[in-house]
Amino acid sequence: MDEERALYIVRAGEAGAIERVLRDYSDKHRATFKFESTDEDKRKKLCEGIFKVLVKDVPTTCQVSCLEVLRILSRDKKVLVPVTTKENMQILLRLAKLTESDDSLEKVSEFPVIVESLKCLCNIVFNSQMAQQLSLELNLAAKLCNLLRKCKDRKFINDIKCFDLRLLFVLSLLHTDIRSQLRYELQGLPLLTQVLESAFSIKWTDEYESAIDHNGPPLSPQETDCAIEALKALFNVTVDSWKVHKESDSHQFRVMAAVLRHCLLIVGPTEDKTEELHSNAVNLLSNVPVSCLDVLICPLTHEETAQEATTLDELPSDKTAEKETVLKNNTMVYNGMNMEAIHVLLNFMEKRIDKGSSYREGLTPVLSLLTECSRAHRNIRKFLKDQVLPPLRDVTNRPEVGSTVRNKLVRLMTHVDLGVKQIAAEFLFVLCKERVDSLLKYTGYGNAAGLLAARGLLAGGRGDNWYSEDEDTDTEEYKNAKPKEELLKPMGLKPDGTITPLEEALNQYSVIEETSSDTD
């Protein structure tokens, strides 16, 4: 009945009546995502009628009402089949200012029309294969990049940027060809990185270092949403970067990594928005070539170095050797390097562990990132080992028992999900410089058996990667307990079927073989 009344007014009424009836329809169906199949034909005709109104010279408020209803109706894939034509797509592109012209965005009164047109295009492109093909034919990605450039440094049009970026994300998600076009032809990597810089209001203090105001206000909801959409679009653009990496791209990837470091050190308007922002930053960092992740840490300034020395003097003598301290401004420092971003990643990882669900989607990306950072960058590995595997003092409890980060990761080494189990074990193995004896010290033989078996290291040794030698970190408690640790040994069956240490069992079989040979 709603569609029938709206259709009648749209076909025969004047602009004011059309605006009123469509506003009523929009208010009533704003939260509607499932539609009755019996009214499908009426909804198709209503869509067609709306497009006919949009080509007329009607007031901006009427255009907005038309587009709001079109956005609601475009949630129904079946309705889109007859209305997704090149002509109708071009109408929406014109209203969204997605044209080849260089017209600037000056008329504030047009902004609601641009935003609603972009929202409609997001729904239509996502739900219609025909619209996806037409997007390629109409070179929509290039038009979206052009609109983004017009929005540069214009904070009062964040909604336009947000839905422009969302449409870029949808296009690059559905078409691998568009990812390549964005990356190379349209220079999407620097363009989208600049969008992030603008959203975060970054002020550079050095080539890859930005000023961080720890006491500054959180990002606004609009800035946060805009940044999240840019991060998602950048993820698609760079999804294969770790495979194909040219030396000439190093600078651009380092700039992006520096922007992402800044992202990790700021907060959104709510805790949930901050987590979403950081989650997308983690995903994008996973696409950055690992050699460019060195910008996640940076040397201290002269002022910070002096402050660190003062703070170290205040520490008890038995703690100074651990080389890790917290400055008075809450900056995490290790070996003269600012480790704030790595510490944020570590805390993010622990929060994801504590959630206890969706480990594969929520936890494995940050664990993989920390593993690769540790493998490639010595200072990061040493800092993480200091945080995750500090000198072992509790030698009475099993490694998986307790509430420390080490305990939580050790528990994951026997998780039912193979991918989660493998990456947790790999992370701890890398922190131990891929030395079996060190891994066993912190995790126990039973927890490490899966990784060691997969690596062919059950008998001991170390992995294939080379790591620098560090000083001995065995505590007095561990040294005293070490001789008593032989509680778990590889076992085997003797010829009579009883269990015995593996070495003894093998010796007995050797004796039997020699006896058999003599008999022959």
Side-chain angles (χ1 to χ4, degrees):
M1 186 59 125
D2 292 333
E3 288 82 2
E4 189 172 342
R5 175 171 173 266
L7 180 58
Y8 175 79
I9 300 295
V10 165
R11 282 177 171 175
E14 49 84 31
I18 293 173
E19 181 182 341
R20 285 191 296 273
V21 74
L22 291 182
R23 191 188 304 125
D24 290 343
Y25 185 94
S26 177
D27 290 341
K28 185 173 182 179
H29 295 280
R30 196 174 302 279
T32 301
F33 290 88
K34 292 184 179 180
F35 301 88
E36 295 292 334
S37 57
T38 53
D39 294 326
E40 184 180 310
D41 188 57
K42 294 175 184 176
R43 290 195 300 277
K44 289 178 182 177
K45 290 178 180 178
L46 181 56
C47 282
E48 292 170 346
I50 286 174
F51 274 109
K52 289 177 181 177
V53 174
L54 289 172
V55 297
K56 297 178 182 178
D57 185 18
V58 295
T60 299
T61 52
C62 183
Q63 289 179 323
V64 171
S65 295
C66 287
L67 291 165
E68 286 177 345
V69 173
L70 184 61
R71 171 170 53 84
I72 292 169
L73 296 176
S74 65
R75 298 167 183 167
D76 184 358
K77 293 182 180 181
K78 294 179 181 178
V79 165
L80 294 177
V81 175
V83 298
T84 307
T85 64
K86 186 174 182 179
E87 180 183 1
N88 288 341
M89 287 286 286
Q90 287 174 324
I91 292 171
L92 291 175
L93 295 186
R94 177 178 56 80
L95 292 171
K97 298 297 181 184
L98 294 171
T99 60
E100 303 294 344
S101 69
D102 294 327
D103 295 342
S104 60
L105 300 174
E106 296 295 340
K107 294 183 180 179
V108 177
S109 60
E110 294 180 342
F111 290 176
V113 175
I114 298 173
V115 172
E116 283 301 325
S117 299
L118 288 169
K119 289 179 180 180
C120 288
L121 284 167
C122 286
N123 278 3
I124 292 171
V125 171
F126 184 74
N127 286 323
S128 168
Q129 289 188 348
M130 177 59 72
Q132 293 162 25
Q133 293 301 317
L134 287 169
S135 298
L136 293 173
E137 184 180 335
L138 295 168
N139 201 12
L140 180 53
K143 292 178 171 64
L144 288 166
C145 288
N146 188 41
L147 181 59
L148 266 185
R149 292 185 177 94
K150 293 178 185 178
C151 295
K152 187 179 179 182
D153 298 327
R154 302 283 294 279
K155 291 192 175 184
F156 57 89
I157 52 177
N158 269 329
D159 282 346
I160 296 177
K161 282 198 286 189
C162 184
F163 289 101
D164 183 303
L165 290 163
R166 183 170 298 178
L167 188 48
L168 267 180
F169 166 70
V170 171
L171 283 173
S172 56
L173 176 69
L174 298 171
H175 283 287
T176 55
D177 290 345
I178 288 181
R179 293 178 204 166
S180 180
Q181 182 191 16
L182 277 170
R183 174 74 188 278
Y184 300 106
E185 178 187 334
L186 301 174
Q187 295 297 300
L189 185 55
L191 174 62
L192 293 170
T193 302
Q194 287 168 8
V195 171
L196 284 176
E197 287 185 51
S198 176
F200 299 147
S201 302
I202 288 181
K203 296 178 181 177
W204 296 105
T205 58
D206 205 340
E207 187 175 23
Y208 304 121
E209 293 179 35
S210 62
I212 303 292
D213 182 4
H214 293 284
N215 298 317
L219 290 178
S220 70
Q222 294 82 6
E223 289 168 338
T224 306
D225 289 340
C226 189
I228 289 171
E229 295 300 335
L231 290 168
K232 288 158 60 178
L234 268 170
F235 178 86
N236 288 345
V237 172
T238 61
V239 70
D240 295 322
S241 298
W242 64 276
K243 295 179 183 177
V244 183
H245 172 47
K246 299 177 182 177
E247 191 62 33
S248 58
D249 295 334
S250 292
H251 170 68
Q252 188 56 55
F253 278 113
R254 279 193 162 86
V255 170
M256 187 174 77
V259 172
L260 294 175
R261 177 183 182 274
H262 188 101
C263 176
L264 292 172
L265 300 180
I266 57 179
V267 296
T270 64
E271 187 175 343
D272 287 345
K273 275 297 180 182
T274 300
E275 183 172 355
E276 185 181 359
L277 182 70
H278 289 177
S279 178
N280 281 284
V282 167
N283 291 340
L284 182 52
L285 279 169
S286 301
N287 288 350
V288 176
V290 70
S291 61
C292 299
L293 293 176
D294 55 345
V295 300
L296 290 178
I297 61 176
C298 57
L300 298 182
T301 64
H302 292 301
E303 294 79 5
E304 289 173 330
T305 302
Q307 193 173 18
E308 181 193 17
T310 302
T311 309
L312 284 172
D313 289 340
E314 295 172 357
L315 285 175
S317 58
D318 62 331
K319 293 289 184 181
T320 305
E322 294 181 10
K323 298 182 181 178
E324 183 275 321
T325 184
V326 180
L327 298 184
K328 293 174 182 176
N329 62 356
N330 295 323
T331 300
M332 188 64 68
V333 174
Y334 186 89
N335 269 4
M337 303 296 288
N338 186 320
M339 293 288 180
E340 283 183 285
I342 304 301
H343 193 248
V344 170
L345 290 173
L346 185 62
N347 287 339
F348 180 86
M349 178 200 74
E350 187 173 8
K351 286 180 181 177
R352 287 296 170 96
I353 294 176
D354 292 342
K355 278 191 172 182
S357 62
S358 303
Y359 280 160
R360 182 173 286 272
E361 299 82 12
L363 177 63
T364 55
V366 66
L367 261 179
S368 298
L369 175 63
L370 290 174
T371 301
E372 293 308 312
C373 283
S374 300
R375 185 177 277 125
H377 302 288
R378 179 173 180 265
N379 273 322
I380 295 178
R381 174 183 58 78
K382 294 186 71 174
F383 170 74
L384 286 172
K385 184 171 188 290
D386 188 74
Q387 296 291 306
V388 177
L389 302 176
L392 196 59
R393 301 187 188 281
D394 179 6
V395 294
T396 57
N397 291 315
R398 295 173 62 85
E400 66 272 22
V401 176
S403 58
T404 67
V405 182
R406 174 178 75 102
N407 302 142
K408 295 172 184 179
L409 286 166
V410 171
R411 287 196 288 272
L412 289 179
M413 294 175 76
T414 54
H415 195 271
V416 293
D417 188 304
L418 182 61
V420 173
K421 176 168 63 176
Q422 287 176 335
I423 191 59
E426 184 76 10
F427 177 52
L428 292 174
F429 195 41
V430 169
L431 293 188
C432 293
K433 298 189 295 186
E434 300 190 23
R435 287 174 46 183
V436 173
D437 57 342
S438 180
L439 181 69
L440 295 182
K441 178 173 84 171
Y442 287 106
T443 69
Y445 192 90
N447 294 312
L451 178 136
L452 299 180
R455 294 289 196 95
L457 294 172
L458 282 171
R462 65 188 307 165
D464 299 329
N465 294 288
W466 181 88
Y467 298 87
S468 62
E469 293 299 326
D470 292 338
E471 64 276 6
D472 180 22
T473 59
D474 287 351
T475 61
E476 288 301 318
E477 293 90 338
Y478 179 74
K479 289 177 180 177
N480 292 333
K482 190 173 182 180
K484 308 170 186 176
E485 278 194 325
E486 296 184 1
L487 300 178
L488 194 155
K489 294 182 177 179
M491 306 296 283
L493 288 175
K494 293 196 296 186
D496 62 0
T498 58
I499 297 176
T500 191
L502 183 60
E503 185 177 359
E504 183 179 334
L506 291 175
N507 288 336
Q508 292 200 16
Y509 279 107
S510 298
V511 171
I512 292 175
E513 287 181 4
E514 290 175 3
T515 305
S516 300
S517 177
D518 292 342
T519 304
D520 291 343

